[in-house]
Amino acid sequence: MKQNVMNEKDLQRIKELRLMDDDFFSEALDGKTEAVEYILNAILERDDIKVKSTKAQVEYKSATKRSITLDIQAEDADGKLVDIEIQRSDKGAGVKRARYHSSMIDRTLLSKGEDFEDLVDTYVIFVTENDKYGKGIPLYHVERKITELNDELFGDGAHILYVNGEYRDMEHPVGSLMHDFKCKDAKDMVNPLLAEEVRY
C-alpha cells in the first residue's frame, strides 16, 4: 500500500514537469539530435544548423577548481560546441556564471601543441524562466566588442545568449519554443518533435 502511495506521488510530480525544469530537459533531450537541432535553429534564428551529436549532464572537471555540469551539450556539423542551460532562478543565470561556463568549455578544446586559431566557436545559452533584462525581447546576445573601434566585434568566437522564457509571441520562433518549454502536457505543445520527447 505504501509503495502505491509513493508511486502516485511520483507520477503526480512527473506530470508537473516541463522542459523548463533542468533535470527533465536533460533527460528528455539526451541524445535527441533532431529535437536539439530544432531548439538551436529557433534560438539562433537560423535554419541551417545540423547537430552531429548531443548529450546530457556533461561534466567539466577540475582537480583544484570548481567543476561544472552542462544540461545539454551539442556539437554541430562544423564542430562548434553549444552548451544549453536551463535556469529557473535569476541567481542561477548570473553573468559571472556565463563567463565561467564559457571558459571551462574553452579549456578542453585544444590539445598540447595545437594552434589557438583552431579553437572552434562556442555558444553558452541560458534559457531563463524570467525575462532577465526586463526588455520584453526574445533574446539577449552577449559579445565582446572593441570600444575604440565603434564597438566593432572582437570576433573571438565565444558567444553567450540569454533566452527570455517569458516571451510569448507565437509568430516568433523563440515565442513558440518558450510556449512549448512551459507546457506540462505534450498535447498542448506546438512542435511535434519536442512533444514526442515530452510524451515519451
Side-chain angles (χ1 to χ4, degrees):
M1 180 69 173
K2 189 174 182 181
Q3 184 66 37
N4 288 340
V5 171
M6 192 64 151
N7 287 342
E8 283 300 318
K9 284 183 180 177
D10 288 342
L11 287 172
Q12 192 54 46
R13 187 175 61 83
I14 289 168
K15 284 181 183 177
E16 296 299 310
L17 292 175
R18 313 157 301 159
L19 287 174
M20 192 56 82
D21 298 296
D22 59 352
D23 287 341
F24 184 63
F25 176 80
S26 294
E27 184 67 30
L29 298 178
D30 187 14
K32 309 298 184 185
T33 54
E34 286 186 79
V36 172
E37 196 170 275
Y38 162 72
I39 291 170
L40 292 182
N41 276 302
I43 291 174
L44 298 176
E45 299 177 289
R46 291 171 53 181
D47 61 9
D48 61 339
I49 296 172
K50 296 297 178 189
V51 172
K52 185 168 70 176
S53 66
T54 179
K55 48 191 169 184
Q57 298 297 303
V58 177
E59 188 173 12
Y60 284 91
K61 292 184 179 180
S62 173
T64 58
K65 305 294 182 185
R66 182 168 181 168
S67 300
I68 62 169
T69 303
L70 313 180
D71 290 335
I72 286 285
Q73 182 195 76
E75 182 180 357
D76 75 4
D78 299 320
K80 296 183 179 73
L81 288 183
V82 184
D83 161 27
I84 309 174
E85 292 292 304
I86 302 295
Q87 292 295 337
R88 294 188 59 189
S89 75
D90 293 341
K91 183 180 177 183
V95 296
K96 296 288 180 71
R97 181 174 187 156
R99 171 184 162 187
Y100 194 70
H101 272 240
S102 185
S103 67
M104 285 291 281
I105 294 170
D106 275 350
R107 66 186 286 272
T108 67
L109 295 180
L110 292 181
S111 299
K112 193 172 182 178
E114 285 188 298
D115 195 283
F116 291 115
E117 295 304 313
D118 292 333
L119 275 173
V120 296
D121 282 18
T122 61
Y123 294 79
V124 174
I125 300 172
F126 282 112
V127 181
T128 59
E129 178 97 14
N130 303 312
D131 183 352
K132 180 172 174 60
Y133 292 100
K135 299 299 181 183
I137 59 178
L139 298 162
Y140 301 95
H141 297 80
V142 181
E143 301 282 346
R144 289 187 178 101
K145 296 183 178 180
I146 306 169
T147 307
E148 290 75 17
L149 298 180
N150 297 317
D151 289 336
E152 182 181 315
L153 285 177
F154 186 47
D156 62 349
H159 311 279
I160 297 171
L161 289 92
Y162 286 90
V163 182
N164 175 8
E166 293 181 2
Y167 193 72
R168 285 295 177 279
D169 180 355
M170 295 298 284
E171 298 301 312
H172 192 286
V174 170
S176 174
L177 183 65
M178 291 303 99
H179 166 271
D180 284 359
F181 268 47
K182 296 278 182 91
C183 287
K184 295 177 182 177
D185 194 324
K187 66 178 171 48
D188 298 326
M189 298 176 76
V190 174
N191 184 267
L193 278 172
L194 295 185
E196 182 57 34
E197 299 308 336
V198 169
R199 185 178 298 111
Y200 177 77

